Amino acid sequence: MIAVEGLVKRFGDRTVLDGVDLSIRRGEIVVVIGPSGTGKSTLLRCFNYLERPDAGIVRVGDVTVDARTATKAEILALRRATAFVFQSYALFANKTALQNIAEGLIVVKKVPKREALERARAILDRVGLGDRADAYPAALSGGQQQRVGIGRAMALEADLILFDEPTSSLDPEWVQEVLDVMKSLAESHQTMLVVTHEMSFARDVADRVVFMDGGRIVEEGPPGRLFSDPSDERTRGFLRKILAGQGG
């Protein structure tokens, strides 16, 4: 089971997450949409304790962490059950594409170096970068760097991969290549929780779309229904605005 229950996160006097409940089935692709500043990225970061929630329970696989009693060992187990794809790539500048992907296998999974490099090379092939194994991040385009970041997450074989607006830092010509890799990953039934403003991806790939506003989940449902007949006026207003901007 993958879920958060009663998740609360405050920054000073501001409540960013206000009692969020969300469950995700194995193999499900859930896309979170909503206005900027409404807690979407914070929700992802609380899922693996990059941000520690003030209250609530996180469950990923066999790991359950209660914010009131969370131990370092529980948090480490939670992070090992998840993988995170950042909007800013977060690659090691002094390591090649191959080494960036192998690093987690060696350090986190304790895979022997030779085997880790072999697996990393196979993953580079999957994300279309087999010919860039020895390139350092500075020599890669933004889209290529993000594909390495996705490959690094894939290597960990996590129960859940978290994507925090993975295309928001990319020039337009690089967006589609990253979305194509994510679509391929979705086809392999990898469980994914994705924050994005790419509505076409949400419509085409998501099993379920969640709309957040004001630190709460306003509504959720299959993309066909949520995009064509949202039940809440806040969802309707958001979709009108963002789809007009994307020409959809």
Side-chain angles (χ1 to χ4, degrees):
M1 181 179 185
I2 297 172
V4 293
E5 300 171 10
L7 206 63
V8 175
K9 178 62 182 177
R10 302 183 186 92
F11 293 107
D13 295 333
R14 180 171 170 246
T15 299
V16 180
L17 297 176
D18 191 9
V20 172
D21 296 322
L22 177 65
S23 62
I24 305 170
R25 300 186 303 272
R26 292 282 184 182
E28 190 177 22
I29 315 304
V30 177
V31 172
V32 184
I33 63 174
S36 296
T38 199
K40 306 183 301 297
S41 293
T42 302
L43 172 63
L44 260 63
R45 296 174 72 86
C46 285
F47 245 106
N48 74 340
Y49 269 63
L50 286 174
E51 294 284 356
R52 180 165 181 155
D54 294 290
I57 293 172
V58 180
R59 292 190 173 92
V60 178
D62 296 329
V63 182
T64 299
V65 183
D66 188 324
R68 297 170 301 176
T69 59
T71 65
K72 290 182 179 179
E74 288 172 338
I75 292 170
L76 179 60
L78 182 66
R79 289 176 178 166
R80 285 177 171 165
T82 60
F84 207 102
V85 177
F86 298 87
Q87 53 184 293
S88 58
Y89 323 139
L91 301 180
F92 295 109
N94 63 337
K95 295 184 183 296
T96 65
L98 184 70
Q99 292 167 337
N100 263 281
I101 292 176
E103 183 75 4
L105 289 170
I106 297 168
V107 175
V108 178
K109 295 286 192 178
K110 308 302 182 185
V111 175
K113 185 175 180 179
R114 182 188 295 273
E115 180 184 344
L117 290 172
E118 289 176 357
R119 287 164 62 175
R121 199 173 295 278
I123 288 169
L124 276 176
D125 287 337
R126 282 187 63 189
V127 300
L129 292 172
D131 61 340
R132 304 293 280 156
D134 296 327
Y136 288 89
L140 299 173
S141 71
Q144 290 171 333
Q145 289 186 63
Q146 191 59 291
R147 283 189 278 161
V148 173
I150 294 171
R152 179 176 56 188
M154 292 165 59
L156 296 175
E157 298 180 332
D159 292 324
L160 173 67
I161 298 183
L162 303 156
F163 292 82
D164 186 12
E165 298 194 24
T167 61
S168 65
S169 297
L170 300 178
D171 290 338
E173 65 266 30
W174 296 330
V175 169
Q176 192 57 51
E177 66 186 48
V178 172
L179 292 179
D180 286 344
V181 171
M182 293 173 66
K183 289 177 182 178
S184 174
L185 189 56
E187 290 169 359
S188 71
H189 305 293
Q190 168 67 54
T191 311
M192 298 161 59
L193 181 60
V194 183
V195 169
T196 185
H197 288 295
E198 297 290 339
M199 295 300 110
S200 61
F201 176 85
R203 279 191 291 209
D204 295 345
V205 179
D207 297 302
R208 182 160 39 112
V209 177
V210 173
F211 175 70
M212 287 186 67
D213 192 24
R216 296 182 178 183
I217 292 176
V218 175
E219 65 175 301
E220 57 184 286
R225 184 200 64 76
L226 192 133
F227 282 105
S228 64
D229 188 26
S231 60
D232 192 279
E233 177 55 36
R234 287 171 291 179
T235 314
R236 290 194 289 271
F238 172 79
L239 289 174
R240 277 196 301 268
K241 181 178 179 181
I242 198 163
L243 291 176
Q246 294 185 5

